[in-house]
Amino acid sequence: MTEISTVENFIDGEFMPASRFLDSYDPSVGEVWARIPASGKHEVDLAVAAAKRAFPIWSSKSPSERAKVMNKIADLIEENLDELAKMESKDQGKPVWLARAVDIPRAVHNFRFYASSILHTRNSSTILDVGATNYTMHMPIGVAGLISPWNLPLYLLTFKIAPCIAYGNTCVCKPSEMTSVTSWMIAKLLVKAGLPNGVVNMVFGDGPEAGSAIVEHPDVPLVSFTGGTETGKKIMALASPLCKKLSLELGGKNAALVFDDVDLDEVIPTMVKSGFMNQGEICLCMSRIFVQESIFENFVNKYVNSARNMLVGPPSEASSKLGALISKEHLNKVKGYVALSVEEGGMIHCGEGVDEICLPQKYENGYYMLPTVITGLGPNSRCMQEEIFGPVVCIAPFTTEEDAIEKANSVKFGLSACVWTNDVRRTHHVSQRLQVGTVWVNCWMVRDLNMPFGGMKASGIGREGVNDSIEFFTEAKCICIKY
Ligand code: NDP
């Protein structure tokens, strides 16, 4: 029997035992492995009060003092990489190697990058003919509410905490109720790094109770949220009567466009990764692929062969390319879309309903699913329009460049897209017309935090990335001096 961890809220630098709990499951075996606080308004009030008390102290520290603590946090995360990767894998179901290679290093980078950026920030100034000068200042705002999802627990939570505290704000975080253990471990490292009490607070619990209490709190003037589009709409409705500053990173239904001038053997390994990495549970996964009709059949054969070779298995095994999905409910939802695709006229080439999954006995109750590839769906079918957020990729042909662009843009989402071509003119022509926040050409998930990141249409409001984070986490002030 596995020992069950009991998570505590982290408020004002203290770990506070809870009186009500929610179960947290290890998706790899389908068993409860942790109890997390079922927090509500009371705990949020305490956390906001602590963050509010800490704000004048933290915001008056110099950038180099803040950077020093943030670099220490990064060092500690790096020192604990193995343990954090194992925990995140147990929390979320992803392979341990993936957490080691991507999630935890990115958490380290988030702190180092923003720690460094605040040492190089420059303010603008102008000189007027009337004998006056203007200069701008970026002022930290106060207590931020940071609400994050379960799919990349540390990567995304630290992508909010790092810029928030770098610019002098304090915060109350609400990680997903399904992946709270890893965030709790980070809280322990914050204490070790010497972050002053109350600068970062973590309240665990579910969204409708703990999350909305943060969004509605009058002393939280800004909210940064990453999650589903439907939740984003609710948050917007809760925040708007109080005129809060909002950043919403929401869902996606990303398209990859493959033109006939590419070398399929060269591009398919990355394309398959872009469909199925993290069990397809990345907002940036390419869940729709449009392929030029002259190479369609060849592409499907090669893609399916490659997808079929992606081993699904225990997250602890280095050979497992995919681990378990986050929860039983989510697994059923994703499988439900595959069943729906058949009703919608789709043909399943590999994966769910076609191939057998083979797991060691210990993992038989885990939430596993094979990479599934579907063709034959119409552009308006639900499987082509809705975010499935699992290991399911739908492939369809296109005729011309115009047709490819129209198909890619024909969804309500606008997060990201990939263009696979060696034609320079087409690279620019197509990329510029895709209605998404990020276009990758001949690559996927290559990110520079200097660049804006975010979604168009139903994929969100606002951008993250260094300049955009300054805009979001500070208020610009202009001072005009006549001389
Ligand atoms: P959810 O929208 O269900 O939840 C996200 C966070 O919001 C969780 O912490 C959740 O808490 C909380 N929440 C839920 N309801 C409320 C509420 N009424 N008020 C305040 N907070 C609330 O998303 P998932 O966790 O299921 O994550 C998957 C989604 O996130 C996908 O749609 C994916 O595309 C999107 N995403 C977007 C990214 C981007 O950069 N654009 C990046 C990564 C994911 P709890 O779950 O504990 O109830």
Side-chain angles (χ1 to χ4, degrees):
M1 177 110 182
T2 356
E3 197 188 325
I4 294 181
S5 318
T6 300
V7 171
E8 296 153 310
N9 285 321
F10 177 59
I11 298 175
D12 209 7
E14 303 275 332
F15 290 95
M16 301 178 86
S19 51
R20 292 186 299 142
F21 294 93
L22 300 168
D23 287 336
S24 186
Y25 285 77
D26 171 354
S28 74
V29 288
E31 283 170 12
V32 175
W33 83 294
R35 301 189 314 154
I36 68 144
S39 310
K41 187 175 176 318
H42 172 66
E43 292 80 359
V44 167
D45 285 348
L46 292 177
V48 174
K52 205 175 160 187
R53 279 194 302 276
F55 177 68
I57 304 159
W58 182 246
S59 58
S60 60
K61 290 206 183 291
S62 67
S64 56
E65 284 174 302
R66 293 200 292 264
K68 196 171 162 197
V69 183
M70 290 179 66
N71 280 319
K72 182 74 190 155
I73 297 170
D75 293 347
L76 287 168
I77 297 176
E78 201 163 48
E79 281 166 27
N80 289 277
L81 188 143
D82 283 332
E83 203 190 343
L84 285 166
K86 279 188 203 145
M87 283 294 159
E88 193 177 79
S89 162
K90 257 183 133 23
D91 237 1
Q92 196 254 339
K94 70 178 65 202
V96 176
W97 65 260
L98 182 61
R100 282 190 100 253
V102 177
D103 299 58
I104 314 301
R106 172 59 193 269
V108 173
H109 183 59
N110 287 337
F111 280 105
R112 289 209 178 121
F113 179 89
Y114 282 101
S116 156
S117 83
I118 50 174
L119 303 179
H120 306 283
T121 311
R122 295 172 70 171
N123 292 329
S124 59
S125 66
T126 58
I127 295 174
L128 307 181
D129 320 354
V130 294
T133 184
N134 286 322
Y135 69 91
T136 55
M137 288 183 75
H138 283 90
M139 315 294 294
I141 300 173
V143 180
L146 308 180
I147 302 177
S148 55
W150 48 261
N151 64 322
L152 300 167
L154 281 193
Y155 179 130
L156 292 173
L157 178 65
T158 57
F159 192 31
K160 295 188 184 304
I161 296 176
C164 172
I165 65 172
Y167 299 119
N169 301 284
T170 58
C171 59
V172 177
C173 309
K174 211 297 285 171
S176 167
E177 84 186 54
M178 287 182 277
T179 52
S180 295
V181 183
T182 336
S183 312
W184 179 53
M185 285 189 68
I186 286 288
K188 295 180 184 177
L189 300 183
L190 300 180
V191 175
K192 231 171 157 179
L195 187 72
N197 292 350
V199 174
V200 174
N201 304 273
M202 284 189 200
V203 175
F204 302 102
D206 74 4
E209 214 180 329
S212 48
I214 295 174
V215 179
E216 287 176 312
H217 201 292
D219 289 334
V220 176
L222 70 164
V223 175
S224 172
F225 168 80
T226 300
T229 298
E230 290 312 310
T231 317
K233 287 184 199 167
K234 286 184 199 157
I235 287 179
M236 218 169 159
L238 287 176
S240 66
L242 296 156
C243 299
K244 296 196 177 198
K245 223 173 167 186
L246 263 190
S247 158
L248 301 176
E249 295 290 352
L250 308 178
K253 187 75 180 174
N254 312 298
L257 306 181
V258 192
F259 290 89
D260 64 3
D261 60 290
V262 295
D263 176 341
L264 290 184
D265 293 326
E266 201 180 300
V267 305
I268 278 181
T270 307
M271 291 199 65
V272 169
K273 211 158 85 175
S274 75
F276 300 113
M277 194 159 109
N278 206 40
Q279 305 74 241
E281 296 168 325
I282 302 183
C283 54
L284 303 165
C285 275
M286 295 292 141
S287 53
R288 295 179 298 151
I289 302 181
F290 296 106
V291 185
Q292 198 153 12
E293 58 184 357
S294 52
I295 56 163
F296 183 74
E297 219 179 293
N298 195 14
F299 178 88
V300 173
N301 287 337
K302 285 178 185 272
Y303 189 92
V304 168
N305 278 342
S306 193
R308 214 175 229 137
N309 283 334
M310 294 197 91
L311 202 66
V312 175
S316 52
E317 300 286 324
S319 57
S320 301
K321 290 282 180 282
L322 281 75
L325 273 70
I326 183 71
S327 67
K328 197 168 194 167
E329 294 70 34
H330 189 59
L331 177 70
N332 289 339
K333 179 188 139 187
V334 176
K335 287 186 171 182
Y337 272 107
V338 178
L340 174 68
S341 76
V342 177
E343 288 168 32
E344 292 185 316
M347 177 182 167
I348 305 170
H349 292 259
C350 64
E352 176 63 17
V354 173
D355 299 308
E356 281 283 307
I357 197 161
C358 182
L359 293 161
Q361 201 184 1
K362 179 179 167 197
Y363 298 93
E364 278 172 355
N365 293 324
Y367 316 133
Y368 297 90
M369 181 173 162
L370 292 168
T372 300
V373 180
I374 306 170
T375 60
L377 291 167
N380 296 325
S381 62
R382 284 184 56 200
C383 293
M384 283 294 243
Q385 289 288 323
E386 297 174 17
E387 185 183 43
I388 298 174
F389 215 57
V392 179
V393 170
C394 305
I395 312 182
F398 70 80
T399 50
T400 59
E401 254 177 47
E402 290 311 304
D403 186 36
I405 294 166
E406 194 185 317
K407 284 184 163 134
N409 287 340
S410 71
V411 288
K412 69 176 180 180
F413 299 102
L415 191 55
S416 68
C418 282
V419 179
W420 296 91
T421 182
N422 289 309
D423 180 326
V424 175
R425 182 205 59 81
R426 178 185 281 150
T427 295
H428 294 281
H429 178 73
V430 174
S431 304
Q432 289 172 17
R433 295 174 67 200
L434 292 172
Q435 294 160 355
V436 294
T438 301
V439 179
W440 282 291
V441 179
N442 299 331
C443 61
W444 177 67
M445 280 274 273
V446 179
R447 284 272 290 119
D448 174 0
L449 300 190
N450 286 296
M451 293 294 138
F453 173 80
M456 291 185 183
K457 305 197 285 188
S459 289
I461 295 174
R463 291 287 180 274
E464 290 171 326
V466 74
N467 294 330
D468 305 276
S469 302
I470 294 179
E471 293 307 322
F472 182 71
F473 284 110
T474 65
E475 292 290 12
K477 179 191 273 188
C478 174
I479 297 176
C480 178
I481 303 167
K482 183 99 171 66
Y483 48 84

